[in-house]
């Protein structure tokens, strides 16, 4: 499930506090699905800095920030290069779309770059399990200039592609607390959270209204396996985690992973070169064997040449 609406609201509030008015640095590729932007701001309170992080792992998409340092990877993908448009951009605000796991970060463009033709950008992250996506919207025209996964279905009227206009889904209302049955929370909660709520209330006998109130008012994150929740539901293995420690909770040693990814790429190149060399060697050996077999024809020719005077037509 990764994170739900309530936990994303907590993260969004913290990102707003941390990143508002900060300037982004150069985009980082941290892993197969992970990306980051260092951010910083020097004001009367001193230097505020960190790294904005988001993971597009289909099994566990999430967003957060951290104060740790990371090892960057080489990434030449079209999507990664498009994120460079946000280098040196200034964060205006961070907003969560009501009722959905969608986060929007608005930027003003780097006006010191004479090649910059856009006035600003929106970075929209859809953190849906199995189908996470990211869109980069450029202003003043408000069109998609980059998307992580393009998807177009003319019959269904779906146009997730460049130069299209991004359409937010309809807003859902907030999770009400005056419910008589946990099933009534289905329109507001993902299935995994709803299952935990039902077990906590129906099987363990906790008060529904009180539980929903605590879920909504919580400012704390809890990690249960790969789920990021705003309430522990009495789970013994629920781990309370601060937003800045969220990435390290799921990625224990990013630097080692980054080094492994680099070695893995080098290993692939070596394996490819080895296979090519092996194939060439096999072809040369086949050619040599074939040539050796044909040496007898040279001997036949020499014999014919030596005894050509004795050979009669028809022999």
């Amino acid at each position: 499930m990764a994170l739900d609406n309530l936990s994303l609201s907590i993260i969004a509030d913290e990102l707003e506090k941390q990143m508002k008015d900060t300037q982004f640095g150069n985009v980082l590729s941290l892993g197969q699905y992970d990306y980051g932007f260092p951010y910083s701001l020097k004001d009367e309170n001193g230097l505020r800095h960190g790294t904005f992080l988001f993971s597009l792992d289909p099994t566990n998409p999430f967003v957060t920030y951290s104060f740790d340092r990371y090892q960057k990877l080489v990434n030449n993908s079209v999507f990664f290069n498009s994120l460079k448009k946000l280098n040196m951009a200034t964060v205006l605000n961070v907003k969560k779309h009501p009722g959905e796991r969608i986060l929007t970060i608005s930027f003003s463009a780097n006006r010191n770059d004479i090649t910059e033709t856009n006035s600003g950008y929106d970075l929209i992250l859809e953190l849906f399990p199995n189908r996470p996506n990211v869109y980069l919207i450029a202003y003043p025209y408000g069109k998609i200039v980059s998307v992580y996964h393009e998807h177009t279905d003319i019959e269904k009227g779906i146009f997730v592609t460049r130069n299209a206009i991004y359409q937010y889904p309809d807003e859902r209302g907030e999770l009400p607390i005056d419910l008589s049955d946990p099933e009534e929370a289905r329109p507001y909660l993902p299935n995994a959270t709803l299952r935990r709520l039902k077990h906590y209330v129906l099987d363990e006998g906790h008060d529904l209204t009180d539980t929903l109130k605590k879920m909504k008012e919580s400012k704390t994150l809890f990690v249960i396996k790969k789920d990021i929740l705003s309430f522990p539901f009495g789970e013994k293995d629920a781990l309370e985690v601060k937003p800045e420690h969220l990435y390290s909770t799921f990625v224990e040693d990013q630097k080692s992973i980054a080094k492994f990814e680099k070695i893995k790429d080098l290993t692939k190149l070596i394996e490819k070169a080895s296979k090519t060399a092996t194939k060439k060697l096999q072809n040369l050996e086949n050619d040599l064997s074939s040539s050796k077999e044909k040496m007898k024809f040279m001997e036949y020719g020499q014999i014919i040449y030596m005894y050509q005077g004795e050979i009669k037509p028809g022999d």
Side-chain angles (χ1 to χ4, degrees):
M1 182 197 75
L3 76 174
D4 61 14
N5 281 302
L6 299 174
S7 56
L8 182 56
S9 294
I10 296 172
I11 296 171
D13 290 342
E14 289 298 319
L15 287 172
E16 171 77 5
K17 294 176 185 177
Q18 285 293 324
M19 301 198 310
K20 183 177 174 58
D21 298 326
T22 63
Q23 189 176 62
F24 269 21
N26 294 334
V27 61
L28 306 173
S29 177
L30 304 177
Q32 183 178 2
Y33 301 108
D34 301 349
Y35 303 86
F37 282 95
Y39 62 84
S40 62
L41 172 67
K42 190 173 183 180
D43 55 19
E44 64 275 6
N45 297 320
L47 181 64
R48 174 158 42 107
H49 64 90
T51 303
F52 167 65
L53 303 161
F54 62 95
S55 176
L56 301 177
D57 183 347
T59 64
N60 187 30
F62 67 94
V63 61
T64 187
Y65 68 94
S66 175
F67 302 125
D68 296 333
R69 302 178 73 88
Y70 298 99
Q71 179 77 38
K72 64 180 180 179
L73 294 171
V74 175
N75 190 329
N76 294 315
S77 68
V78 174
F79 172 72
F80 177 79
N81 287 329
S82 71
L83 292 178
K84 294 179 182 179
K85 296 179 184 293
L86 298 179
N87 293 353
M88 308 308 293
T90 301
V91 179
L92 299 177
N93 55 63
V94 180
K95 294 181 179 179
K96 177 189 174 297
H97 189 66
E100 294 289 351
R101 285 169 282 188
I102 301 176
L103 190 74
T104 301
I105 306 175
S106 298
F107 301 84
S108 61
N110 177 21
R111 307 313 302 173
N112 294 324
D113 184 357
I114 60 174
T115 64
E116 179 62 79
T117 58
N118 298 309
S119 60
Y121 297 95
D122 278 348
L123 183 68
I124 302 175
L125 298 100
E126 294 181 343
L127 301 169
F128 306 130
N130 301 319
R131 52 187 181 91
N133 215 344
V134 176
Y135 307 82
L136 187 62
I137 316 297
Y139 293 95
Y141 302 106
K143 292 186 177 182
I144 299 172
V145 294
S146 178
V147 58
Y148 183 66
H149 280 310
E150 290 193 0
H151 174 55
T152 300
D153 191 324
I154 297 176
E155 293 183 357
K156 295 182 179 179
I158 299 173
F159 299 97
V160 181
T161 184
R162 293 177 60 191
N163 296 319
I165 302 295
Y166 180 81
Q167 297 290 337
Y168 286 96
D170 294 336
E171 293 186 6
R172 300 186 192 183
E174 291 188 0
L175 173 67
I177 62 173
D178 54 343
L179 302 178
S180 58
D181 189 282
E183 180 62 27
E184 296 176 18
R186 182 174 292 278
Y188 310 96
L189 298 174
N191 291 332
T193 305
L194 183 62
R195 285 195 300 270
R196 284 194 167 91
L197 176 63
K198 286 183 174 181
H199 175 72
Y200 189 70
V201 172
L202 301 178
D203 298 336
E204 297 187 2
H206 294 277
D207 182 72
L208 176 59
T209 300
D210 181 61
T211 302
L212 292 173
K213 183 178 180 181
K214 289 179 180 179
M215 289 171 62
K216 287 188 65 174
E217 295 179 351
S218 173
K219 300 298 180 184
T220 306
L221 295 175
F222 297 89
V223 173
I224 306 175
K225 296 180 180 178
K226 282 193 173 184
D227 294 343
I228 305 170
L229 306 170
S230 64
F231 189 72
F233 295 103
E235 297 274 357
K236 294 181 179 180
D237 57 347
L239 177 65
E240 182 177 335
V241 178
K242 293 182 178 179
E244 61 265 35
H245 298 149
L246 200 56
Y247 188 77
S248 60
T249 299
F250 293 111
V251 184
E252 295 183 359
D253 192 349
Q254 186 273 334
K255 291 183 179 180
S256 295
I257 293 174
K259 289 179 180 178
F260 174 76
E261 289 293 331
K262 289 182 179 180
I263 295 173
K264 186 171 70 173
D265 291 340
L266 179 59
T267 302
K268 286 182 179 179
L269 289 174
I270 294 173
E271 288 177 350
K272 184 178 179 180
S274 177
K275 288 180 180 179
T276 301
T278 301
K279 188 174 181 179
K280 286 183 178 180
L281 178 60
Q282 184 64 46
N283 290 337
L284 289 172
E285 289 176 346
N286 291 339
D287 290 343
L288 178 60
S289 177
S290 177
S291 297
K292 287 180 177 180
E293 290 181 3
K294 293 177 181 179
M295 287 293 290
K296 59 186 178 182
F297 294 107
M298 183 181 70
E299 295 178 1
Y300 296 160
Q302 289 176 343
I303 294 172
I304 292 172
Y305 179 75
M306 290 175 61
Y307 298 98
Q308 60 182 328
E310 301 177 13
I311 297 175
K312 299 176 182 180
D315 288 347

